[in-house]
Amino acid sequence: MADEADALAAMAEILAPHCHVTRLSGGALIADWKRTRFLGMTPADVRALTGGDAEERAEVVTDLVRAGCATGRSRAPTEAGVRLWLHGTHLLIRTLGFGRVLRLLPVVAPDYARTDRPPAEQVGRLKRAVQSQSRRSCSVNGDCKSEAVTAFVLLRRRGWEAVLHVGVREHPFALHTWVSSAGLCIPDADPGGHAFTPVLSIGRGGP
């Protein structure tokens, strides 16, 4: 039973965000919500992910890739990748306006049927990368909107929970944007110790 649970956990790691695996008495069932279809796996296929040799595991993974169920979850973004997303997002906000960019988020960062809670260390690593690249850029220069949208897109495209908040402070009046995920905020939700009240939140889950 433990081996089967380990196999399902391993399968969930390689599945695309739009797929969900459920254990059955006769193996496992993969629900592909993007294509509205269901794929069955035999107990032997499930066990091969943890108890089989490298060739057996590769065969199962290859079948999942060919079926389009293991291609959506990208690897963690590199520093260069974060920089490109950050600069592109900043340019898009300056060109189209922040409101229009928010309306584009469902396209570039879709709300997948399966959204996992990311490891805190992964979110922390992304936060450091985003803020480091932001400080190094003369154009971005710590812009909270660019940092938050970049983090939101990168997290959601990996099938991870993320909520984008737009907050307001009355005295003195100011606006701030941040993303909450795994208990962390990108950038900080209260820069300089000033609290902001969320007036708009995009995404599932909570802060």
Side-chain angles (χ1 to χ4, degrees), residues 157-171:
R157 287 174 71 89
R158 298 196 70 196
W160 283 347
E161 288 181 354
V163 184
L164 186 143
H165 305 278
V166 178
V168 63
R169 185 186 68 203
E170 294 185 2
H171 304 291

Side-chain angles (χ1 to χ4, degrees), residues 9-44:
M11 192 185 308
E13 283 296 317
I14 64 174
L15 286 179
H18 53 79
C19 295
H20 179 78
V21 61
T22 302
R23 183 175 62 189
L24 300 176
S25 58
L29 181 70
I30 298 176
D32 183 348
W33 299 115
K34 183 177 181 179
R35 300 172 179 84
T36 317
R37 63 178 180 174
F38 298 89
L39 305 175
M41 296 188 68
T42 66

Side-chain angles (χ1 to χ4, degrees), residues 89-159:
T89 298
H90 183 70
L91 180 61
L92 202 61
I93 291 174
R94 294 193 61 181
T95 304
L96 300 180
F98 186 50
R100 290 182 178 177
V101 170
L102 292 182
R103 288 194 287 271
L104 288 175
L105 288 181
V107 178
V108 296
D111 188 8
Y112 290 114
R114 179 174 65 85
T115 309
D116 302 329
R117 183 177 177 85
E121 62 270 18
Q122 293 274 7
V123 180
R125 188 177 301 118
L126 176 62
K127 179 177 181 176
R128 291 190 295 271
V130 168
Q131 294 187 315
S132 172
Q133 295 299 327
S134 178
R135 287 192 295 266
R136 294 177 184 176
S137 171
C138 296
S139 58
V140 180
N141 194 25
D143 178 58
C144 64
K145 298 185 296 297
S146 301
E147 292 183 8
V149 171
T150 297
F152 181 77
V153 170
L154 292 177
L155 287 167
R156 287 283 290 270
R157 287 174 71 89
R158 298 196 70 196

Side-chain angles (χ1 to χ4, degrees), residues 39 45 58-69:
L39 305 175
D45 289 336
E59 184 177 353
V60 173
V61 173
T62 299
D63 289 341
L64 291 174
V65 171
R66 288 174 178 171
C69 294

